[in-house]
Amino acid sequence: MAGPSFKLFTRVDGQLLELERVAICFESAADAERFAAFAKLCGERMRELGDDYSHQHLVGGGLPDVTIERLAKA
């Protein structure tokens, strides 16, 4: 079974750098569930909006600044 097709990036000095590995750490199961609900909501919106979907921020204006964005097709 192939893994999901997504990439991880960070922005440094205005440049996007692709990451090979990242750790997402939570203090509680409830926090992990909230993150999963956010990712699910983004998937639903992506499906609804199609190519018009841009991105969603996990925390509006706060840190960490996690976004789920549409990956451009190669």
Side-chain angles (χ1 to χ4, degrees):
M1 178 178 167
S5 54
F6 67 88
K7 295 183 178 188
L8 301 169
F9 296 94
T10 190
R11 186 175 301 276
V12 176
D13 297 328
Q15 299 285 331
L16 280 179
L17 302 176
E18 187 172 354
L19 302 173
E20 293 181 1
R21 187 173 295 157
V22 67
I24 301 174
C25 305
F26 302 98
E27 287 185 7
S28 69
D31 290 337
E33 290 165 345
R34 278 191 288 277
F35 183 84
F38 165 70
K40 184 173 189 283
L41 172 70
C42 291
E44 292 167 353
R45 298 232 6 158
M46 204 178 283
R47 182 173 291 112
E48 290 170 11
L49 297 175
D51 290 341
D52 290 333
Y53 178 88
S54 175
H55 68 281
Q56 291 286 122
H57 289 265
L58 174 62
V59 181
L63 293 177
D65 184 17
V66 175
T67 60
I68 293 184
E69 305 182 22
R70 177 175 296 285
L71 183 63
K73 295 178 185 174

